[in-house]
Amino acid sequence: MCRSATRRPDTNHVPTTRLEIEYDGGGFRGWAAQPGLRTVQGELESALATVLGEQPSLIVAGRTDAGVHAWGQVASFESEGQPPTSLASSLNGVLPVDVAVTGAAVAPNGFDARRDARSRTYCYRVFARSAPNPFERQRSLWWPRPLDREALGACADLLYGSHDFTAFTPTDTDHVRFEREVMRAEWVAQDDAILCFWIEADAFMHNMVRALVGTMLEVANGRRTPDGFAKLLGGGWREQAGETAPAHGLYLASVRY
């Protein structure tokens, strides 16, 4: 008699977990763990060690800089055992108040939060009013100077498609490829005073969004022209572009897979 073979489960498979994360970046020296410094990765890995009894290494979709916030950060990790279904709430029970895990779920085998990301979306918030707003402090860039909103829109329209963003990242860089594909770029009025710059691209370089915002604001203030901004998108030196906008106005909004 011929017996059908029974397929045994893959005991070598190490479970992968995907985390959805929010944080206020003001109290962190960025995402990446650094000895002696408070970082988002450091706090999360410490919390995972407390909850799981092991300290897995997190892979993140976007390594945000010091002071940059996140609404929709994604990270993944492998662990020896199956994480508990209550992982998100357990982590939030030990995490500090400026970081939260909004979701935790088992991911497909081999999922990598960074490598598998198709695009990332950032939002930069500008508070354009002559008087500051104490409730927007460290949440948006206060801009009390004149601002041509049509000029901002014209600059955003120029960003669609593939461009060379060499002028919008530090000269001393590890990047070897400077072209990026932009799928969305627009300035949206949240209310009478708050303007939000939304940009989605396949990948971003260090300080790229903040340098773009700083340069576009110079166009909107009459210090540059949209034509001059367009020329920078063909490549150029960092010093040819505008100032880098401060970190506290920038948010990693979402990651698409």
Side-chain angles (χ1 to χ4, degrees):
M1 181 176 63
C2 179
R3 294 183 178 179
S4 60
T6 301
R7 187 173 183 176
R8 296 181 178 179
D10 182 5
T11 57
N12 295 320
H13 171 55
V14 179
T16 301
T17 300
R18 169 174 167 167
L19 300 178
E20 310 283 339
I21 309 158
E22 295 178 344
Y23 49 87
D24 176 345
F28 295 104
R29 293 297 297 272
W31 165 270
Q34 303 172 63
L37 298 177
R38 186 171 186 260
T39 67
V40 183
Q41 182 181 10
E43 293 289 354
L44 280 164
E45 290 184 350
S46 177
L48 284 166
T50 299
V51 172
L52 300 179
E54 60 175 302
Q55 186 165 319
S57 180
L58 287 168
I59 297 172
V60 72
R63 292 178 53 166
T64 51
D65 293 332
V68 176
H69 316 292
W71 294 324
Q73 180 69 277
V74 179
S76 60
F77 68 90
E78 294 182 344
S79 59
E80 290 301 322
Q82 196 79 8
T85 56
S86 60
L87 179 59
S89 60
S90 296
L91 288 172
N92 289 329
V94 297
L95 282 167
V97 295
D98 47 1
V99 57
V101 174
T102 59
V106 175
N109 186 19
F111 173 76
D112 184 298
R114 184 174 185 83
R115 187 186 64 236
D116 294 342
R118 303 293 299 275
S119 70
R120 299 157 182 83
T121 298
Y122 282 88
C123 175
Y124 195 97
R125 302 176 76 249
V126 176
F127 184 75
R129 192 178 75 176
S130 58
N133 183 333
F135 300 104
E136 284 294 323
R137 188 177 68 87
Q138 299 303 311
R139 295 290 178 271
S140 62
L141 167 62
W142 175 41
W143 186 265
R145 297 180 283 281
L147 189 71
D148 184 340
R149 298 193 180 197
E150 289 188 4
L152 284 179
C155 289
D157 289 343
L158 292 167
L159 288 171
Y160 282 87
S162 180
H163 303 283
D164 182 337
F165 289 96
T166 304
F168 300 97
T169 194
T171 302
D172 184 12
T173 178
D174 293 330
H175 293 298
V176 295
R177 182 180 69 87
F178 296 90
E179 286 191 0
R180 297 293 187 270
E181 181 76 22
V182 175
M183 300 89 162
R184 178 191 180 191
E186 60 179 333
W187 285 90
V188 178
Q190 182 175 316
D191 56 30
D192 291 342
I194 296 178
L195 290 172
C196 297
F197 173 60
W198 292 88
I199 181 168
E200 178 185 3
D202 57 349
F204 289 87
M205 294 184 293
H206 184 55
N207 284 356
M208 176 177 155
V209 178
R210 292 164 57 196
L212 283 169
V213 169
T215 307
M216 286 188 282
L217 288 173
E218 291 183 6
V219 174
N221 194 33
R223 295 166 58 187
R224 295 175 180 268
T225 66
D227 286 343
F229 180 76
K231 290 179 181 178
L232 291 172
L233 297 176
W237 300 105
R238 178 65 190 92
E239 57 266 25
Q240 293 176 309
E243 295 183 4
T244 300
H248 63 258
L250 183 60
Y251 299 75
L252 174 57
S254 62
V255 183
R256 182 170 63 86
Y257 291 93

